[in-house]
Amino acid sequence: MSLDVATEPDLHHELVVDKEAAAALFLDARTANNWADGEIAEETLQAVYALTRMGPTAMNIQPMRITWVRSPEARERLAVHMNDGNRAKTLAAPMVAVLSYTTQWHELIPTTAPHMSAMVPTFESNPDARKLMAVNNAHLQAGYFIMAARAAGLAAGPMTGFDAAGLDGDFNVDSASKSFMVVNLGRPSDVIDRARLPRLEFDAANVTL
Ligand SMILES: Cc1cc2nc3c(=O)[nH]c(=O)nc-3n(C[C@H](O)[C@H](O)[C@H](O)COP(=O)(O)O)c2cc1C
């Protein structure tokens, strides 16, 4: 299986973005554990969010919340909740984002989907439906977030190996917010510490009826 952008000429005939964009977003981008030097500017974080928020969610509910963990003090607090195999990575990353979902997204329907404001009481009385929609759509937004970070010139190292309950007790004082992913971020390093794992071929993951 080839993932080299230079050896995928047929693919590029089908794309509306140029080769460099396809490489930066998908084909050359790697999950990162090593970083080039340099701080991540506040403007870069805002650019990442500006792209992330435009990805579609059901009813436009946008349930994902981001906590940027920049200060060394906050980073030490976060590291306590990471699995042993992830702790050093989180301490070393130039920036870390904790992604959470809120189950109270329905309170913002008058802002996010004003034409559906009458549904606020319906969702208020159905916490199970709210949680399912929050989890599903926040995970979608996490995917947009990773791609947005790449579009802004960053590499991302997403992780689910952490103690979410412990992290929430420390960082998510609002009990409606639940962490579900921690993402290390920084400028990509030239050092790639492991080979690319195989991706499934079209026939293994697709069916056309
Ligand atoms: C939702 C999610 C959770 C992950 N959790 C961890 C983790 O806890 N620790 C870790 O080292 N890598 C974790 N990874 C990294 C994956 O193993 C990696 O993204 C995948 O193998 C693809 O690597 P590549 O982008 O370099 O091809 C996670 C990735 C995702 C998307």
Side-chain angles (χ1 to χ4, degrees):
M1 178 184 61
S2 170
L3 290 163
D4 181 349
V5 64
T7 63
E8 302 254 13
D10 295 343
L11 173 60
H12 292 292
H13 288 142
E14 300 296 328
L15 301 182
V16 297
V17 295
D18 61 27
K19 282 186 179 188
E20 288 70 27
L25 294 174
F26 293 98
L27 297 171
D28 287 354
R30 294 294 310 274
T31 297
N33 295 319
N34 301 295
W35 316 97
D37 289 340
E39 286 214 349
I40 310 302
E42 191 64 28
E43 291 73 17
T44 305
L45 309 187
Q46 293 188 14
V48 170
Y49 180 67
L51 295 180
T52 300
R53 69 177 183 167
M54 298 313 293
T57 52
M59 278 179 58
N60 199 34
I61 65 172
Q62 304 168 66
M64 190 174 80
R65 301 291 180 266
I66 304 170
T67 303
W68 297 102
V69 184
R70 188 195 282 286
S71 76
E73 297 76 20
R75 193 71 67 83
E76 291 287 343
R77 270 171 57 208
L78 175 62
V80 168
H81 305 295
M82 301 307 295
N83 286 4
D84 289 346
N86 290 332
R87 187 166 299 119
K89 299 175 197 171
T90 292
L91 286 170
M95 178 57 72
V96 181
V98 175
L99 307 186
S100 303
Y101 63 83
T102 176
T103 52
Q104 294 301 106
W105 53 263
H106 63 299
E107 293 173 353
L108 289 175
I109 290 176
T111 301
T112 56
H115 62 297
M116 295 193 221
S117 294
M119 295 191 71
V120 172
T122 309
F123 283 111
E124 177 63 35
S125 61
N126 197 340
D128 290 347
R130 288 208 319 271
K131 181 174 179 188
L132 184 63
M133 289 178 69
V135 170
N136 287 346
N137 286 278
H139 279 81
L140 266 182
Q141 288 189 286
Y144 306 142
F145 177 85
I146 292 167
M147 306 315 287
R150 291 174 173 181
L154 302 179
M159 296 169 293
T160 46
F162 64 96
D163 171 14
L167 191 158
D168 290 341
D170 198 357
F171 284 78
N172 278 334
V173 281
D174 160 18
S175 64
S177 293
K178 303 291 179 197
S179 58
F180 66 94
M181 201 180 296
V182 176
V183 186
N184 297 331
L185 295 157
R187 305 271 164 215
S189 157
D190 293 336
V191 180
I192 303 295
D193 54 0
R194 66 209 188 287
R196 182 78 102 169
L197 290 172
R199 298 316 204 250
L200 298 177
E201 298 296 345
F202 186 89
D203 288 347
N206 296 260
V207 62
T208 305
L209 301 178

